[in-house]
Amino acid sequence: MLTVIDVWNRECVKIEVDHSLTGSRVARVLEQLRQVGRCPSVIQVDNGPEFISKALDAWAHQCGVKLEFIRPGKPIENAYIESFNGRLREECLNQHAFRSLQEARERIEVWRIDYNSVRPHSALGQMAPDQFRVLHHNENSEITNLRLVHSAG
């Protein structure tokens, strides 16, 4: 799974689910987000092979996006997304036995939508990420920093 989080409003922008994800696939997902206006100036990533790939580097260079790598072996530098992935695992992945990749995608997407639109966050004044983004849209309408992580689902 590739999880993409907007640090500003704690929104889970995307969860890409598949058996494996290459750097080309990560670049394709980010390009899809860019096409709908969700491209940040900085993306923080770990040092996994999909993030240090030539494909992702070329995409970032072409789009003027800075890839900010955490130090190897220091997941605490990407603590918010690590915490998010723990919540995803506990509340969704551990609760279901997926019979197919399609079922996993569908259930995870339902969970992501709930996370963004229903669940209040203390860091956002007890608002859900979608509510916070709408309320503060005029103040900060662009994503400035995304966090990505590829975790074994």
Side-chain angles (χ1 to χ4, degrees):
M1 285 190 307
L2 171 72
T3 51
V4 182
I5 303 293
D6 181 345
V7 176
W8 174 68
N9 70 342
R10 307 294 200 256
E11 177 186 12
C12 177
V13 178
K14 178 79 172 165
I15 302 176
E16 186 75 4
V17 180
D18 212 330
H19 294 291
S20 68
L21 296 166
T22 64
S24 296
R25 180 76 174 273
V26 171
R28 191 166 52 242
V29 167
L30 291 172
E31 179 59 21
Q32 290 168 352
L33 292 174
R34 190 184 74 76
Q35 292 292 325
V36 295
R38 303 303 304 263
C39 187
S41 56
V42 177
I43 299 176
Q44 186 176 46
V45 296
D46 63 30
N47 291 278
E50 65 281 1
F51 298 131
I52 62 172
S53 70
K54 290 180 182 178
L56 185 58
D57 186 58
W59 175 86
H61 179 73
Q62 177 184 359
C63 296
V65 174
K66 179 183 177 193
L67 296 177
E68 186 175 273
F69 293 91
I70 65 170
R71 291 179 293 168
K74 302 288 184 183
I76 194 71
E77 292 180 2
N78 216 356
Y80 181 74
I81 199 161
E82 295 294 341
S83 173
F84 172 84
N85 282 341
R87 187 172 293 117
L88 170 62
R89 182 173 306 284
E90 182 180 305
E91 297 175 7
C92 183
L93 302 179
N94 291 347
Q95 302 298 318
H96 303 286
F98 304 115
R99 292 172 285 192
S100 68
L101 186 58
Q102 185 59 35
E103 180 184 359
R105 287 176 176 151
E106 290 168 2
R107 287 188 183 256
I108 291 167
E109 181 63 9
V110 166
W111 183 89
R112 187 189 72 82
I113 290 168
D114 178 76
Y115 178 87
N116 287 336
S117 61
V118 176
R119 186 174 308 206
H121 292 254
S122 59
L124 303 177
Q126 297 304 321
M127 286 186 271
D130 287 349
Q131 295 169 310
F132 186 84
R133 183 167 41 93
V134 168
L135 182 66
H136 296 284
H137 179 73
N138 292 333
E139 297 171 26
N140 188 355
S141 60
E142 295 181 11
I143 294 176
T144 56
N145 192 322
L146 285 182
R147 305 285 171 105
L148 278 69
V149 75
H150 179 198
S151 64

